[in-house]
Amino acid sequence: METVVSGTRPTGVLHLGNYYGAVRNYVRMQEDPNYNGYFFIADFHSLTTHQQPDELGKLVKQTIAAYLASGLDPEKVTIYIQSHLPQIPELYLLMNMLAYKGELEKVATFKEKIRQHKENVNAGLLTYPVLMATDIIIHRAHKVPVGKDQEQHLEMTRNFAKRFNSRYEVDYFPEPTAFNYGEELVKVPGLDGSTKMSKSGTVNSAIFLDDSDDDIRRKIMRAKTDTGPTAENQERPQEIINLFDLMQIVSTEETYTSFDKAYNNCTIRYGDMKKQLAEDMIGYIAPIRKKLNELLVDEDHLSKVVLEGREKAWDSASKTLADVKNIMGLNYF
Ligand code: TYM
């Protein structure tokens, strides 16, 4: 049986990118008897950029509810909150001794974050990949379902795991890989022409799991397009590629193919394409939204899920931490 770990920062209601790029695979892996899954809320990670104590609790609850609404089942997998496990910051401290400043400074997400948050380039941002590696190796995971934006972090996780094994001459940590059922990792685009849907993008660029039908229609009808193709099989600009990519996710193959053909023979009407995309998006999101809204009002249930999850995750994390301390020689008296 292989161990699977993944997490999400509680920075708001999840969007289609989080769902399609990652959470959908958590659910698929949960149903696979070959996997034992740990799925958590990365609240420590969110502190690197979001420091609003009054909001954090609400965001964490929304993220747990989104996990459950997407189909995660606490009877089958372990759902917990990162900060509920003190073993994580302890192992993170030990892992920091294996991470080099130079390699951390080269990480693409770090460079992007320091551009966005010039006023707050904290050490937590620099060592973000060390904490993320800790999340993964604390359960000695083999597979990590994530979107394409996390690929480099997984590469670093493997480096830290290998470095630990070789420095202490052990074969303790597996080398975990980013996972999407044998396919390329996914990057869901935004509606504003950007290649990645994100929580921090422009107002109408992301479709959230709690968007109403009208929100979805409005955002899609306003999505960026160009003036249309003027020659057969013309190359597509990014914003049009994005609409087709979104259509591939939520529409039938038949629908996708008919608009694809219409683009190539220059008969496409973007208004029609957007209307179709909006209705298919509603069909995809509405059932999740309905469950999400029901779960959000049941705080007792949400807290029960993560407190039970904490117990299960605790055992696995304690065992790894004790082993690591032994291997590192932190075992006198
Ligand atoms: P986060 O919170 O930004 O995103 C959660 C998951 O959603 C995926 N994702 C996307 N996938 C496809 N297209 C998109 N537009 C898109 N946007 C987001 C992310 O790849 C991710 O899988 N560092 C992580 C959280 C984390 C973690 C971990 C993940 C902390 N520790 C250990 C795995 C294992 C992050 O910020 O994800």
Side-chain angles (χ1 to χ4, degrees):
M1 186 119 131
E2 289 195 313
T3 300
V4 176
V5 171
S6 201
T8 304
R9 279 172 305 141
T11 46
V13 175
L14 305 195
H15 54 64
L16 180 74
N18 302 129
Y19 176 76
Y20 191 78
V23 179
R24 183 182 56 112
N25 278 337
Y26 307 174
V27 178
R28 201 169 153 195
M29 294 176 98
Q30 133 183 301
E31 301 306 335
D32 191 329
N34 295 315
Y35 299 127
N36 176 26
Y38 293 90
F39 301 106
F40 67 96
I41 315 293
D43 53 347
F44 282 144
H45 275 109
S46 72
L47 300 181
T48 56
T49 52
H50 292 65
Q51 289 123 358
Q52 288 141 323
D54 299 342
E55 281 218 336
L56 192 54
K58 184 176 127 212
L59 298 175
V60 167
K61 284 170 198 161
Q62 281 175 335
T63 313
I64 307 165
Y67 274 4
L68 300 177
S70 303
L72 275 188
D73 179 350
E75 299 285 325
K76 297 181 181 161
V77 293
T78 306
I79 301 171
Y80 63 97
I81 296 174
Q82 186 185 34
S83 67
H84 278 179
L85 295 186
Q87 298 86 344
I88 291 177
E90 191 170 346
L91 183 59
Y92 163 62
L93 177 130
L94 301 175
M95 293 309 294
N96 269 315
M97 313 307 169
L98 286 147
Y100 301 119
K101 174 171 163 278
E103 66 186 336
L104 296 172
E105 279 170 346
K106 281 195 215 124
V107 177
T109 45
F110 176 67
K111 290 197 207 151
E112 188 189 313
K113 287 282 182 324
I114 59 176
R115 251 195 332 261
Q116 291 166 349
H117 304 272
K118 283 195 188 66
E119 73 304 335
N120 185 14
V121 183
N122 56 69
L125 269 183
L126 181 69
T127 57
Y128 187 109
V130 186
L131 181 56
M132 180 157 161
T134 303
D135 294 326
I136 296 168
I137 65 175
I138 198 135
H139 301 299
R140 300 174 73 194
H142 303 90
K143 294 209 163 83
V144 186
V146 281
K148 190 151 182 60
D149 59 322
Q150 300 298 319
E151 208 164 28
Q152 194 183 16
H153 288 155
L154 260 297
E155 193 186 320
M156 301 199 64
T157 303
R158 280 193 294 283
N159 288 342
F160 297 140
K162 275 190 276 190
R163 205 172 289 160
F164 179 88
N165 289 345
S166 84
R167 184 168 297 177
Y168 296 101
E169 297 176 351
V170 287
D171 185 16
Y172 186 69
F173 287 122
E175 289 175 30
T177 48
F179 184 75
N180 180 23
Y181 279 96
E183 291 177 25
E184 259 287 288
L185 299 182
V186 175
K187 183 150 111 175
V188 177
L191 287 166
D192 57 355
S194 61
T195 58
K196 187 185 143 198
M197 183 175 283
S198 78
K199 292 167 193 165
S200 54
T202 51
V203 187
N204 292 319
S205 100
I207 302 279
F208 294 96
L209 297 185
D210 67 345
D211 277 350
S212 69
D213 293 354
D214 283 344
D215 289 337
I216 294 175
R217 279 192 199 99
R218 183 179 46 77
K219 287 183 186 178
I220 293 183
M221 294 317 286
R222 285 188 191 167
K224 206 171 155 198
T225 49
D226 66 348
T227 49
T230 50
E232 283 198 2
N233 299 316
Q234 191 175 311
E235 205 178 310
R236 299 172 192 190
Q238 189 62 49
E239 60 268 23
I240 302 303
I241 295 177
N242 291 356
L243 287 185
F244 275 101
D245 283 355
L246 291 168
M247 193 163 240
Q248 204 150 36
I249 293 173
V250 300
S251 303
T252 62
E253 206 177 319
E254 214 183 336
T255 304
Y256 178 87
T257 312
S258 81
F259 284 100
D260 191 55
K261 271 198 193 134
Y263 186 92
N264 286 338
N265 64 24
C266 302
T267 56
I268 193 158
R269 287 165 38 169
Y270 289 140
D272 293 346
M273 182 182 184
K274 286 174 166 185
K275 268 191 207 137
Q276 182 68 47
L277 178 61
E279 292 319 305
D280 293 342
M281 186 67 76
I282 289 169
Y284 196 82
I285 298 287
I288 306 177
R289 175 184 68 221
K290 189 167 166 283
K291 284 191 222 143
L292 181 65
N293 289 337
E294 285 163 13
L295 284 155
L296 271 174
V297 290
D298 192 353
E299 287 209 9
D300 289 346
H301 179 59
L302 300 181
S303 106
K304 185 167 168 276
V305 166
V306 290
L307 292 179
E308 284 176 11
R310 174 190 176 173
E311 283 193 22
K312 286 198 266 171
W314 187 281
D315 291 342
S316 154
S318 299
K319 161 104 180 48
T320 305
L321 181 62
D323 288 345
V324 167
K325 287 173 84 171
N326 255 326
I327 292 169
M328 293 178 83
L330 292 156
N331 51 2
Y332 21 80
F333 307 123

